[in-house]
Amino acid sequence: MSRPERSKRERAARIRELLSTDGRHVAENVEPFNEGRYRRYAEMADTESYRTAARRIKEDAIERLPELVEEVTVTVEGNGGTVYLADDADDARRYVREVAAANDVRSAVKGKSMTTEEIALNEELESAGVAVHETDLAEFVLQLADEEASHIATPAVHKSREEIAALFDSVYDLDEPLETPEELTRFASDVLLERVKEADLGITGANFVTADTGTIALVTNEGNARKSAVTPPTTVAVAGIEKIVPSLADLPPFLNLIGPSGSGQDITAYVSFFTPPVASPAIDFDSPDTPGFGDADEREFHLVLVDNGRMQMREDDQLRETLYCVRCGACANSCANFQQVGGHAFGGETYSGGIATGWEAGVHGTDAAGEFNDLCTGCTRCVNACPVKIDIPWINTVVRDRLNRGASPGSFDSIVEGLTPDEEPPGLDAGKRLFGNVETLARWGSRTAPLSNAVAGSAIGRRVLERVAGVDSRRELPTFAGTTFREWFDARDGDGPDDPTRTAVLYPDVYTNHVQVERGKAAVRVLESLGVDVVVPTVRSSGRAPFSQGMVRTAEKHAEAVTEALNPEIDGGRDVVVVEPSDLAMFRDDYRHLLDEETRTTLAEHSYDLFEYVYGLLENGADATDLSDAAKRRDGETKLAYHSHCQQRTLGVETYTEAVLERLGYDVVSSEVECCGMAGSFGYKLEYYDLSVAVGERLRAQFTTPETADRRVVASGTSCVEQLDSLLARRAEHPIRVVDPADTESRDR
Amino acid sequence: MSLDAFERAATGRHATVERTTVDDFGETLAAHLDGPTVGTPLPFEGVSLEPHPVTLRPTPAELDAATVGVTPVGPAVAEYGSVVLASDNWGAEQVSIYPETHVGVLAASDVVPTLEDAVERIAGAVGDGLTSAVLTTGPSATADMGAPVYGAHGPANLHVLVLEDR
């Protein structure tokens, strides 16, 4: 069951509303999680080896899953528990209801478990007359408020302290209103203590289930899960089958990572290793004077392993990775869009954040991801955050492609269709098709400039673009250059170095070629001044644009064409230097999804970020006099505010820009935000314009402090420059223009 | 060495660590018994809860009324300042989670460097029939009510008493 598809305007209105309600608290609440994760990941000497080990263990576990399900069943039953393998949500619900009925359960307490929400367990038990009490404080708040989780790990992240206080006051009709976090915590845990004492059944999830010992590992902070698991005589643990790992000895890498990745803590307060049925006796608070400790005890334990689409996900080469997810929420915390709106916008029926697309598509069906999938801009900031190295942007791209292909014909526009022959189905959203074919558009734009710019800039032009393709009319559109970068290069007299130290292709990406032409010219001059023989061949755009729109087959065609043009140059000894970071990310990373290994490796291993390349040249003794002279000419303007590109940061190459600029005498302050908010075409879209501006606000704030307000602004990505231009009163430009030896002091781009 | 590291790490994560000896243990413990106390037997030679007003095998009412719970803990993890709480039918799990204050008694010889070492020990004990172990770091905590609070459903205080000669 998917939410009804909302029109773009309705979606925009919904996002605007969430920006002003949930969004205000989400950003504030997840910020410490983010900061803690960055801090701890940097602090631990073995972060990368833990991530590699965790990934390998999950790959192995999912590979051997059927065998592990059998093993854990034998183990748990050997320990004295019962295991039920539920095919789907219905099956799992029915089983737990029957366990409750067989034990005359009237009241149950439950620890936080997303899987029980996935199968809608509470509703089932309530309908059978069992009161279910959520004991996790955040889940308790949501149960009282009758709201859905907005985050997979910290589900009430959209609520403020004041809202919680008002909720408690209205539900419990308090004499004295509660104010401080301490008072609220004390009140809630006192209420819940009574529920725990009277419960006949304890329900928990499981972070890990170990096949060799039948141990349920629970990673918690509050202690509610410990109480819920140990107090009532009967316990049920509900776990997705993907939670099984081969051995208890496999857990350390996960446990070292999950505190930092989830909540920015070095480690959570509790990691429980229960191997039920446990020897600790149940406590019967209805018989307050009967001692129970010290005696053997009869406990009942049921492990419900939920399939509900997971075995099919395991067979799906693209969705399989989702099963490695440990549900820590790092992908949500690190996501600039999520921070602004939370999981009520960036989420489906059960799951939220970047990985939700994989989970929703897998357990509820592809359409369940349709409403929120576009909120992943592919910025890749979550990739290095994920403790099990899931390629979350790729999962979003794949599902977007599936959604595109499933889209029904009828909504498309024949003019756009005719203009942009691609590999996609007729029903594709016109906006996606327009942005996905930006190369065609840019070619037309340059050929017909300045007419194209005048048409696109006219009121009528903007209305048509908004109506047909959903391009928000509040956005300034890029201005196409009449003479492209390649045309400029070809028309130039050969001024290359006489005795080059290296030879390189400067990749003419679509933006450098048609819009930000000056940065291309500057790059050529910089490279030549450092002794590089530069060529600028005719080559297609990288395919980043269609890839972002989920037009995977179209992107594949681009990838093939690009490597057909560039790989022979590489074989001839040329390096490939890339100005646009999102294109470098295609060459180095994303092409592995689109090309065979050999073809893509050749390009990946010989492509360089422009400043990474310059840095390498300088390290190898290139003469930087021309560049330093450029720096000297700007006396009094050596202070820069630099915003690197999100994908540049994921690749770890943003430091080269800072290093080169500093080496040349600049004083650089770098932004510390996940994303500028523009994210390629995202910020142009009618439904996401407001969100894009809201995300950009943090960057604007960082570049308008007393320390940064007078600094010249430089940014590596095209869309970052466009976003900065709309956010700030001063213009932004690519950093290569700062060190351009043939500087003209021109600010035109 | 690793006891120093454990002490620093535990203190940095909102637990207290106090070093004592078999001879001084009675006095050290007594200072923490400022309310109705429940406990489980201590397995360290020369040390006992018997001289103290500590209820072993509490009734549900006694557990409910207790403000202090005393249990043995170990191994301890130097890198995180964590202690492992093993529970059997004496109910260390309940004794440690219900009262406001948990006092854990640790042998100095039982500190291991890493979490991985502790999990290895737990895995061995599970193989020998241990059904409940909790790696405990600091008091219970929540950030769900608008700011970090120590003392949620579980104890607000974790005191670790280290027997330096055990």
Side-chain angles (χ1 to χ4, degrees), chain B residues 121-164:
Chain B
R121 292 269 297 272
I122 290 169
V126 169
D128 294 338
L130 179 69
T131 60
S132 170
V134 183
L135 184 76
T136 305
T137 312
S140 78
T142 185
D144 288 344
M145 297 291 141
V149 174
Y150 294 94
H153 293 272
N157 312 297
L158 171 63
H159 303 302
V160 182
L161 310 186
V162 185
L163 295 165
E164 288 194 286

Side-chain angles (χ1 to χ4, degrees), chain A residues 189-216:
Chain A
S189 48
D190 283 351
V191 167
L192 289 167
L193 176 60
E194 297 310 311
R195 302 289 90 82
V196 172
K197 285 187 199 166
E198 70 197 17
D200 316 301
L201 172 67
I203 303 170
T204 69
N207 291 90
F208 305 93
V209 181
T210 63
D212 63 340
T213 59
T215 301
I216 311 294

Side-chain angles (χ1 to χ4, degrees), chain A residues 208-245:
Chain A
F208 305 93
V209 181
T210 63
D212 63 340
T213 59
T215 301
I216 311 294
L218 288 171
V219 179
T220 65
N221 275 305
E222 295 179 357
N224 62 304
R226 290 178 59 190
K227 278 184 173 168
S228 300
V230 82
T231 306
T234 305
T235 47
V236 171
V238 179
I241 48 176
E242 85 284 4
K243 295 292 178 65
I244 305 172
V245 293

Side-chain angles (χ1 to χ4, degrees), chain A residues 100-367:
Chain A
N103 289 279
D104 291 326
V105 171
R106 285 157 300 146
S107 169
V109 283
K110 182 154 143 299
K112 200 186 95 61
S113 152
M114 290 308 294
T115 308
T116 60
E117 293 187 26
E118 174 190 320
I119 63 172
L121 181 62
N122 289 13
E123 291 82 344
E124 177 80 12
L125 291 176
E126 300 272 356
S127 76
V130 178
V132 184
H133 302 285
E134 295 285 353
T135 58
D136 173 82
L137 293 178
E139 291 285 1
F140 170 64
V141 166
L142 296 183
Q143 194 174 30
L144 288 183
D146 193 21
E147 288 178 21
E148 286 178 19
S150 61
H151 188 286
I152 57 173
T154 46
V157 80
H158 63 290
K159 303 276 280 186
S160 69
R161 177 176 57 83
E162 292 79 5
E163 285 167 353
I164 295 168
L167 176 71
F168 287 179
D169 193 26
S170 79
V171 172
Y172 292 97
D173 195 20
L174 303 173
D175 296 336
E176 290 257 341
L178 301 163
E179 272 180 32
T180 65
E182 289 77 12
E183 288 170 354
L184 293 165
T185 301
R186 170 53 64 104
F187 176 80
S189 48
D190 283 351
V191 167
L192 289 167
L193 176 60
E194 297 310 311
R195 302 289 90 82
V196 172
K197 285 187 199 166
E198 70 197 17
D200 316 301
L201 172 67
I203 303 170
T204 69
N207 291 90
F208 305 93
V209 181
T210 63
D212 63 340
T213 59
T215 301
I216 311 294
L218 288 171
V219 179
T220 65
N221 275 305
E222 295 179 357
N224 62 304
R226 290 178 59 190
K227 278 184 173 168
S228 300
V230 82
T231 306
T234 305
T235 47
V236 171
V238 179
I241 48 176
E242 85 284 4
K243 295 292 178 65
I244 305 172
V245 293
S247 163
L248 183 51
D250 288 327
L251 296 184
F254 297 99
L255 301 178
N256 282 316
L257 289 165
I258 201 165
S261 72
S263 48
Q265 294 172 279
D266 298 355
I267 190 166
T268 58
Y270 303 125
V271 180
S272 300
F273 303 85
F274 293 133
T275 309
V278 295
S280 287
I283 317 167
D284 184 1
F285 284 95
D286 291 337
S287 310
D289 300 317
T290 310
F293 297 115
D295 297 325
D297 195 57
E298 287 298 311
R299 276 179 169 275
E300 190 172 320
F301 171 71
H302 301 261
L303 173 62
V304 181
L305 293 171
V306 180
D307 180 340
N308 203 30
R310 287 164 173 80
M311 279 298 184
Q312 271 185 298
M313 292 168 77
R314 182 175 168 271
E315 301 293 321
D316 184 324
D317 284 344
Q318 314 303 342
L319 288 188
R320 184 183 306 125
E321 254 194 313
T322 306
L323 297 171
Y324 307 158
C325 172
V326 296
R327 314 270 185 90
C328 69
C331 55
N333 300 339
S334 61
C335 173
N337 282 348
F338 185 92
Q339 288 166 15
Q340 294 301 319
V341 291
H344 290 155
F346 200 153
E349 278 183 53
T350 312
Y351 298 99
S352 55
I355 195 63
T357 285
W359 281 119
E360 291 285 330
V363 305
H364 296 308
T366 308
D367 287 347

